[in-house]
């Protein structure tokens, strides 16, 4: 079991870890900076962890926290693109809202940002970042990749609801 905090960086340069840090995180955007307090840090991929958790609990939560961080990265990419296009956007967890007249454009943005996030090999990226951060830990091989063409989500009627 690893006795150090697990960390990874996203494809957008947001550093994620299993610790909560006090204070404020500032992220650069095209229109300035977005400041996030400890409560909203979770939305950009910081996994919750209290120091009372055992290493086993943290180990079990790695996969779900990783998936949540990818979902959060998707939301952030969507929010940034909506802002770039000057469209209203609100989100809570995996529910995204905009004005009715902007639904079609938001659906396009959702799909494009999803493809942008997953067009590479996110598991290989994670594994490579961990190999650099934790050179003394032997990591298992990744499972064989399937044949899904991630770009097909752009044509999916029910990609996101």
């Amino acid at each position: 079991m690893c006795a150090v905090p697990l960390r990874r960086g996203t494809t957008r340069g947001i550093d994620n870890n299993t610790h909560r840090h006090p204070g404020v995180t500032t992220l650069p955007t095209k229109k300035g900076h977005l400041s996030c307090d400890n409560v909203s840090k979770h939305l950009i991929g910081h996994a919750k962890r209290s120091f009372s958790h055992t290493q086993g609990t943290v180990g079990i939560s790695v996969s779900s926290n990783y998936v949540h961080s990818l979902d959060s990265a998707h939301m952030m990419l969507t929010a940034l693109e909506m802002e770039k296009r000057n469209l209203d956007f609100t989100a809570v967890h995996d529910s995204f809202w905009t004005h009715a007249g902007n639904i079609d454009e938001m659906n396009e943005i959702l799909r494009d940002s999803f493809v942008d996030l997953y067009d590479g090999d996110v598991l290989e990226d994670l594994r490579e970042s961990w190999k650099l951060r934790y050179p003394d830990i032997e990591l298992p091989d990744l499972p064989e990749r399937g044949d899904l063409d991630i770009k097909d989500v752009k044509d999916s009627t029910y990609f996101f609801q």
Side-chain angles (χ1 to χ4, degrees), residues 76-91:
M76 182 62 81
L77 291 172
T78 300
L80 291 171
E81 184 61 27
M82 293 287 286
E83 179 185 48
K84 179 180 172 185
R85 296 185 192 193
N86 202 29
L87 299 171
D88 290 327
F89 177 79
T90 303

Side-chain angles (χ1 to χ4, degrees), residues 74 77-79 81-82 85 87-90 94-116 150-161:
H74 178 233
L77 291 172
T78 300
E81 184 61 27
M82 293 287 286
R85 296 185 192 193
L87 299 171
D88 290 327
F89 177 79
T90 303
D94 59 356
S95 297
F96 297 7
W97 302 296
T98 192
H99 291 291
N102 299 330
I103 294 290
D104 290 340
E105 192 166 1
M106 185 179 75
N107 280 331
E108 176 187 325
I109 292 168
L110 283 167
R111 286 164 172 77
D112 289 346
S113 61
F114 190 85
V115 169
D116 185 39
I150 198 66
K151 292 179 181 82
D152 287 346
V153 303
K154 290 186 176 190
D155 299 321
S156 174
T157 304
Y158 300 107
F159 160 71
F160 200 90
Q161 17 184 21

Side-chain angles (χ1 to χ4, degrees), residues 28-104:
T29 70
K30 292 181 181 182
K31 290 187 175 182
H33 289 85
L34 174 66
S35 294
C36 302
D37 61 21
N38 280 336
V39 174
S40 58
K41 274 186 182 182
H42 180 71
L43 297 177
I44 59 169
H46 286 270
K48 295 179 182 177
R49 178 184 184 270
S50 79
F51 291 101
S52 64
H53 283 101
T54 64
Q55 288 181 19
T57 303
V58 173
I60 291 168
S61 68
V62 168
S63 59
S64 61
N65 286 337
Y66 177 65
V67 170
H68 289 306
S69 73
L70 291 172
D71 289 345
S72 297
H74 178 233
M75 182 187 345
M76 182 62 81
L77 291 172
T78 300
L80 291 171
E81 184 61 27
M82 293 287 286
E83 179 185 48
K84 179 180 172 185
R85 296 185 192 193
N86 202 29
L87 299 171
D88 290 327
F89 177 79
T90 303
V92 174
H93 301 290
D94 59 356
S95 297
F96 297 7
W97 302 296
T98 192
H99 291 291
N102 299 330
I103 294 290
D104 290 340

Side-chain angles (χ1 to χ4, degrees), residues 8-33:
R8 75 166 190 89
T10 68
T11 56
R12 295 291 173 245
I14 300 171
D15 193 43
N16 295 287
N17 65 47
T18 57
H19 285 285
R20 292 190 74 153
H21 297 286
V24 174
T25 297
T26 303
L27 298 173
T29 70
K30 292 181 181 182
K31 290 187 175 182
H33 289 85

